[in-house]
Amino acid sequence: MESQKRCKGCKKYLTVPPAQPCAFCYKVNKPSKRDKIVPQLLGLIDGYANRPSNNNYYNAPYGQPVQPPAYGGGYASPVYGSGYYSPQPQQPPSFYPTAYDGGYYNPTPAPSPQALSPPLVYGNNGYYNNYNRQSSQKHEQKRAVLCGVTYKGHRKTLPASINNVRTMHQFLVKLGFQIGSIRILTEEQSDPTRTPTRRNILMAMKWLTEGCRSGDSLVFYYAGHGSRVTDSDGDEKDGYDEALCPVDYSQYGKILDDEVNSTLVAPLPHGATLHSIMDTCFSGTLLDLPYLCRIDRGGFYKWEDHNSHVSSFKGTRGGKAICISACDDHQNSADTSAFTGNAIGVLTYSFVQAVQSAGELTYGDLLDNMRKLVREAQEQEGQNAPFASSTSQEPQLSCNKRFEIYSEPFIM
């Protein structure tokens, strides 16, 4: 017999099965970790899903041993009807996570010391001296492009971009990305094809998706200035295209979200996943993905439909594209020294710290924990901080398809 529990929405004592709406307030009660092994999907897709955060950031400090996650592999694609998820029969997963170390998912054994030769050391310019190593001809399932623009000599220079790229590089190596499969674009590079110009950024995007296969995990990271320009083709609801600002944008132009989508998103085949981390202003829909997740501080969320009313295609070839951006399209992002004493992007630090501080993590947990870290920095910096104003930043999540964010495990 099912025990009587208090509804998390209306607080009434009554039997409320996990992942089912309360008979009084119709809120959906989050199942416990024990209930997560039951193949039920939670919440609402076109309505709100009621789920207080489980505070992974505070409950699972980085470095403590973690137990294997309770989820049993992938989740079946939901069927949308009447605003609710329809549970579908689950197929046995083809693989299970094999090892967790320090909160990171490591599907393959760690490489031998010889495989990481030459060692990571800093050169005279404060940068890794082996970033320019040529990628091997072997197809790597994990590949990344890290782009950091400092705009040296500009009145709005961004010195934190170098720290951001360095932080992300170390983070990805710990996640199992090989050094030769990570392409770096910064103004510190001696190779002219590795400076963050408009042409080089677009070429790096094409390199990332070229020959992409099912099972590949791709990462595109950008730290630099972002912008908004008037939409010229009528495919933006707010009338603006979001854009990246390469180091030579004043001469050769910005990179519009339409170009980012056609280069990074459109080529993704079935079974491939792209995570784009955008630490820049006006970045909520920088990949032009059809769905933006709107979530409040109580954990209530809904997917906002951004499908264009024009005929231009914004989807993939069956793959999954996820964008984690620093702020909404009308907001500003910032760098801060509140976290480490050195300037670093608020989005970059909160993203890396949120992942490292939890063993089992869903996309909902990730977004909740990132936003808590951002609010902590805002409180520490005070009301005069550039990200503590009426346009203060809140990390955003968008995707080319809707999914239940508190059930889908975060794996990169």
Side-chain angles (χ1 to χ4, degrees):
M1 177 179 295
E2 197 163 9
S3 60
Q4 195 174 43
K5 298 180 181 178
R6 186 191 292 270
C7 174
K8 296 177 183 177
C10 62
K11 307 302 182 183
K12 294 182 182 292
Y13 277 105
L14 72 165
T15 298
V16 182
Q20 296 297 322
C22 171
F24 287 89
C25 66
Y26 300 102
K27 301 294 185 183
V28 178
N29 285 262
K30 174 183 177 274
S32 65
K33 288 188 177 180
R34 174 176 58 91
D35 297 322
K36 283 186 177 180
I37 62 175
V38 180
Q40 295 177 329
L41 296 175
L42 313 178
L44 302 172
I45 282 302
D46 296 318
Y48 282 98
N50 178 24
R51 185 272 187 189
S53 170
N54 64 5
N55 294 326
N56 275 324
Y57 168 65
Y58 298 100
N59 293 337
Y62 176 51
Q64 290 187 1
V66 295
Q67 298 297 321
Y71 61 84
Y75 292 85
S77 299
V79 175
Y80 301 102
S82 305
Y84 289 89
Y85 270 117
S86 275
Q88 298 295 306
Q90 303 267 335
Q91 296 294 329
S94 59
F95 69 93
Y96 291 89
T98 57
Y100 281 79
D101 178 19
Y104 291 116
Y105 170 40
N106 299 310
T108 57
S112 63
Q114 291 80 6
L116 291 179
S117 180
L120 291 177
V121 293
Y122 288 100
N124 294 330
N125 60 3
Y127 221 56
Y128 290 135
N129 64 7
N130 57 352
Y131 274 176
N132 288 326
R133 267 182 19 180
Q134 293 297 320
S135 301
S136 64
Q137 297 300 317
K138 176 185 175 183
H139 179 82
E140 295 286 353
Q141 285 195 306
K142 288 175 175 281
R143 300 191 301 283
V145 168
L146 308 181
C147 180
V149 195
T150 55
Y151 310 95
K152 288 184 177 181
H154 195 280
R155 64 186 180 87
K156 290 186 177 180
T157 183
L158 295 176
S161 293
I162 290 295
N163 293 334
N164 292 337
V165 169
R166 188 176 300 156
T167 298
M168 283 299 298
H169 181 269
Q170 295 169 342
F171 171 74
L172 292 178
V173 169
K174 290 181 180 179
L175 283 184
F177 285 74
Q178 298 299 310
I179 294 174
S181 67
I182 302 175
R183 181 163 292 191
I184 307 293
L185 283 78
T186 70
E187 288 153 84
E188 302 293 322
Q189 301 285 39
S190 58
D191 184 347
T193 67
R194 295 293 186 269
T195 56
T197 63
R198 172 183 167 82
R199 180 182 185 278
N200 288 346
I201 292 175
L202 288 173
M203 291 299 292
M205 289 180 180
K206 292 178 181 178
W207 169 83
L208 186 64
T209 57
E210 187 176 14
C212 182
R213 307 172 186 172
S214 178
D216 285 0
S217 175
L218 312 178
V219 173
F220 178 81
Y221 172 84
Y222 174 87
H225 282 309
S227 180
R228 304 177 82 192
V229 299
T230 303
D231 175 35
S232 59
D233 56 8
D235 66 341
E236 298 285 351
K237 289 185 176 181
D238 61 0
Y240 292 95
D241 280 312
E242 287 65 50
L244 304 179
C245 296
V247 68
D248 59 350
Y249 75 91
S250 60
Q251 182 178 2
Y252 295 105
K254 303 169 184 177
I255 302 176
L256 300 184
D257 51 9
D258 301 302
E259 296 175 275
V260 177
N261 181 277
S262 62
T263 311
L264 278 182
V265 176
L268 292 174
H270 179 77
T273 302
L274 168 74
H275 286 90
S276 181
I277 318 299
M278 295 292 194
D279 198 344
T280 184
C281 301
F282 316 116
S283 54
T285 61
L286 240 172
L287 261 66
D288 256 0
L289 298 174
Y291 300 103
L292 178 66
C293 185
R294 294 295 188 187
I295 182 170
D296 64 19
R297 293 193 179 188
F300 299 96
Y301 80 94
K302 66 178 179 180
W303 287 101
E304 186 174 274
D305 192 341
H306 279 246
N307 277 292
S308 173
H309 61 279
V310 298
S311 59
S312 57
F313 176 70
K314 297 291 184 179
T316 70
R317 293 194 293 121
K320 190 171 187 178
I322 297 170
C323 182
I324 298 170
S325 50
C327 57
D328 209 342
D329 283 343
H330 66 284
Q331 294 177 334
N332 295 303
S333 65
D335 300 328
T336 181
S337 58
F339 294 121
T340 65
N342 297 317
I344 191 171
V346 173
L347 182 276
T348 300
Y349 180 87
S350 62
F351 170 73
V352 172
Q353 188 64 24
V355 176
Q356 291 183 160
S357 300
E360 179 187 347
L361 194 70
T362 66
Y363 285 91
D365 298 330
L366 174 64
L367 203 58
D368 285 344
N369 295 340
M370 288 173 61
R371 290 187 170 197
K372 285 172 189 165
L373 284 165
V374 172
R375 288 195 292 270
E376 287 177 8
Q378 289 171 345
E379 292 171 2
Q380 185 171 337
E381 292 275 335
Q383 293 302 312
N384 293 326
F387 54 95
S389 64
S390 58
T391 56
S392 61
Q393 70 183 92
E394 290 184 315
Q396 303 292 322
L397 172 71
S398 58
C399 189
N400 66 311
K401 56 183 74 174
R402 298 177 291 184
F403 61 93
E404 212 300 305
I405 65 173
Y406 290 112
S407 292
E408 186 83 10
F410 172 79
I411 298 175
M412 182 179 280

